[in-house]
Each structure stands twice: as structure tokens, then as C-alpha cells.
Amino acid sequence: MDTLTSSPGPAGLTGVDSAADAARRTALRRMRAVALGLLVFAAVVYAATLGRDGFLGFVNAGAEASMVGAMADWFAVTALFRHPLGLPVPHTALIPKRKDELGRGLEEFVGENFLQEEIIRDRVTSAELSRRIGTWAVDRANARKVVAEGMEVASIALAKVKDEHITDLVEMALVPRFREEPIAPILGTFVTEAVRDDLHHGLVDLALEELHGWVTHNPETFADVLMERAPWWAPDRLNEMVTERLHVEAIRWLGDIRQDPRHRARKALDSMLARLGDDLLTNAATQERAENFKVRMLDHPQFTTTAISLWTALKNALAGALQDPDGPLAQRLEEEVVAFARRLLAEPELRARLDGMAADAAVFGVTRYGSELTAVITHTIEQWDGKEASDRIELHVGRDLQFIRINGTIVGGLVGVIIHALTVVLH
């Protein structure tokens, strides 16, 4: 009475059973056999007790009602998926005929009962994602997995960026933008803020240290530079003495500046930078010079080449660091992951804030894209072949539906016995 085929179908349906589908198919056939066996058993009992009175009359009535119940429920279950016995009875084969309407109904059901702001927010918040992440990531083995995966993804992404991409970015995006954007206000604000917050002192210290070291260890080069500018008529010995003296004084002067944070040269530099920042913000002549310098720099053919060279150097350094799973970068990232996980476990306020952000993100996604997500249900079901969709749905729920047939057989038999008993009493 029942058939279930496996044939090629459209996208999303496949005619090849997976292991799970094979298990479902076996279970469905087993339950069908049980339901059919009960019907056959009722028919045999009915035939064996036909025309009997007394107790066997009750048995016969129960068997007759069992057959009626079994056949009625078989018809009801089968009518969902196909025409019973191939007969085009009205209101049968409901799923193949009305799958599109069922898909739209399922879409509305999911949207109205699952993709609602209150439900999503409550579910995300109650999941305590930050606490779970912290508990998992505080284990160094798990933190190492996170770092390894992140470094691998970053390495792959970095390899996808080609030099021509950077060239296009510089020439088509950055350079036109730099041309349009006045550089003087930006530089003026940066210089002014840096001087006010003493941010340039670290750079000055580094420059002084390098310059002092270079002058100290390169007396010959220092002398050669000065000798090139010495007067031709001066005796060589005099030039050498002057150069040596200047070298000693230069070393001492640079050393004094390095050691004295309030050295006059430092103050002069601070004053010069402060004046420069102010001029860049207020002085038209300085602003014009800055703009002209910017244009000359952007027009120079070496600008793009320099940008590519800087990118290549940065890319190579990053690639080397990302490809070393035991290198300093990996170790530092692992420490940061573990430290952040410990903060998550130790700070309830941080967890609450992050869980709230996750809930807000989920609600935003559902609000903005929920209708597109649920529309996938209708769109997918509309593409299914009716028969194939019916067969696949029956494969997943058909086993449970066979209990309707089994219950109909048993309940029908009990009702038949009760009706027969009432008939006997009333007569």
C-alpha cells in the first residue's frame, strides 16, 4: 500500500541515501510492516470469528472495527504524501500539491515565533557567551588553537593581497584623496598635540641616541664631511686639528643633550615645533608651502614605488611572523588571549557588556535580514519537485506517522467491542 522511492531531485534533494537516511528508511519500513501486520491480524481474526456469538462475537466486532480504524488511518496518513492506491481522490496528495503554501506557512511560523527581538535577545543573553568563551579560552591549549587558526587565516589573507592591489589602492584611492584633503590643518593639529603631550620626546631621544652613536663610531666619515667644506688655502694640519676638535665637541654636545631633559637645544626644538604647529594652523604662507610640498611629493614618480616597497617590507615581516607558530608573535597573542579570558571570568561587568553587545548584534541581524533568511524556506521549497519533496519529508516523519495507523487499529478494536456490548445490552 505504501511506496517510498529514491530518485534524483533538484537542488537540496538528493537521490543517494546517506547513512542516516538509510537508517530512517529501515525504521520506516519496519513500522509500516508492524502497522500492516496488525491490519492483517485483524482481518484473519475477523474471518475466523465471522458469524459467531457470545465472546467470539465481541472478538469479531472488535476485529471488524480494528480493520475499519486501520484502513481509515492508513488513508489519512497516505493522503498526506500521495493518492491512496493511485486514485485521484479529492484532498489527497496534500504535500506534493500544496508544498508552496506549506513553505510560506512555515516561513511565517518561523518569523513570527522564532525571529522576534525579545526571543533572540533573551536567548543570546541567557547563553552567557562571554563566560563560556572565557572558560574555554583560559585553557592555554585552547588559546593556542585560537592563535594558530587566526594566524593561518591572516597568513592566507595576506598572501591574497598582491602588489598590484596596493598600487591600485595608492594611485586610485589614496593619492586622489590626499590631493583633495588639505594637509596643513592635519599636520598642524598633530604637531601641536604632540608637543603639548610631549609625545615627540621619545622620538627625539631615539634620534639623539642614534646620532651620538654614529658620530662616536664614525670619526673618519665625520672628518671627511667637514674636510670637503674646509678652505683650500688652510694647511692640512690645521684642518685636521679643527676637525678633531669639532668631533670631540660634537660628541660632548650630543651627550649633554641626551643627559639633560631641560637642555637649551631641547627647549629650542620644542619652541620650534610649537611655532611650526601654530603656523600650519594659522599662517597662510606656511600652509601654502605645506600644500606645495604635499603636491610635489604626490607627483613624484617614486612615491608609489616607495609605498610598494614599504608594503612589501611590512608584508614580508608579517608573513614571517605569522608562519612561525612558536615565534614571539604567536606567544604574545597567546598571552593576550589568556589574559582576556581571565578578565572575562573575573569581571562580571565586562561579561554583561559583551553579552549585551552580542544580543544587540543578533537583534540587528534578525531585524535587518530576518525576512531574507525566512524567505530562503519558501524559495527552497518552491524549487523542490513535489513528489521528491513528499518522499523526503515522509522519510523523516513517516515512521512516527505509522503510530497513527497502529493506534487506529487498537483504538478502533476497543471502540468496536464497546459498540457491540452496547448493542447486546440494548437488544
Side-chain angles (χ1 to χ4, degrees), residues 8-27:
L13 299 174
T14 175
V16 180
D17 282 352
S18 64
D21 285 343
R24 294 188 187 101
R25 194 178 300 281
T26 300

Side-chain angles (χ1 to χ4, degrees), residues 115-168:
L115 300 184
Q116 295 297 317
E117 178 177 347
E118 296 79 7
I119 298 174
I120 297 297
R121 188 177 297 278
D122 179 70
R123 183 56 182 165
V124 174
T125 303
S126 62
E128 296 184 314
L129 297 177
S130 58
R131 182 186 61 79
R132 295 185 180 185
I133 292 174
T135 302
W136 183 82
V138 78
D139 186 340
R140 285 196 173 273
N142 294 329
R144 194 172 295 112
K145 292 179 183 177
V146 173
V147 172
E149 288 295 328
M151 291 177 65
E152 182 176 358
V153 171
S155 181
I156 294 174
L158 190 64
K160 297 293 184 181
V161 181
K162 306 299 183 183
D163 288 348
E164 52 267 26
H165 299 158
I166 304 301
T167 302
D168 293 341

Side-chain angles (χ1 to χ4, degrees), residues 1-128:
M1 280 188 286
D2 298 312
T3 60
L4 182 60
T5 60
S6 178
S7 59
L13 299 174
T14 175
V16 180
D17 282 352
S18 64
D21 285 343
R24 294 188 187 101
R25 194 178 300 281
T26 300
L28 175 58
R29 287 171 177 167
R30 185 180 299 114
M31 292 307 301
R32 280 177 172 171
V34 172
L36 180 60
L38 287 176
L39 173 60
V40 172
F41 176 74
V44 171
V45 172
Y46 173 77
T49 58
L50 188 62
R52 303 294 184 89
D53 295 324
F55 173 76
L56 293 179
F58 282 87
V59 174
N60 181 263
E64 181 180 7
S66 291
M67 289 190 297
V68 174
M71 293 298 295
D73 288 336
W74 165 81
F75 184 91
V77 171
T78 304
L80 292 172
F81 304 103
R82 63 187 64 83
H83 295 300
L85 300 177
L87 301 175
V89 180
H91 303 292
T92 59
L94 297 179
I95 291 179
K97 290 181 179 179
R98 304 184 61 185
K99 66 178 180 66
D100 294 347
E101 297 176 23
L102 293 173
R104 286 190 290 271
L106 181 59
E107 175 187 344
E108 294 175 0
F109 175 78
V110 172
E112 294 174 359
N113 294 277
F114 293 94
L115 300 184
Q116 295 297 317
E117 178 177 347
E118 296 79 7
I119 298 174
I120 297 297
R121 188 177 297 278
D122 179 70
R123 183 56 182 165
V124 174
T125 303
S126 62
E128 296 184 314

Side-chain angles (χ1 to χ4, degrees), residues 251-271:
I251 294 175
R252 185 170 62 181
W253 183 65
L254 291 174
D256 291 341
I257 299 176
R258 288 182 60 191
Q259 296 173 6
D260 186 2
R262 303 184 62 82
H263 195 277
R264 286 182 301 174
R266 287 180 180 268
K267 291 182 179 181
L269 178 61
D270 291 346
S271 177

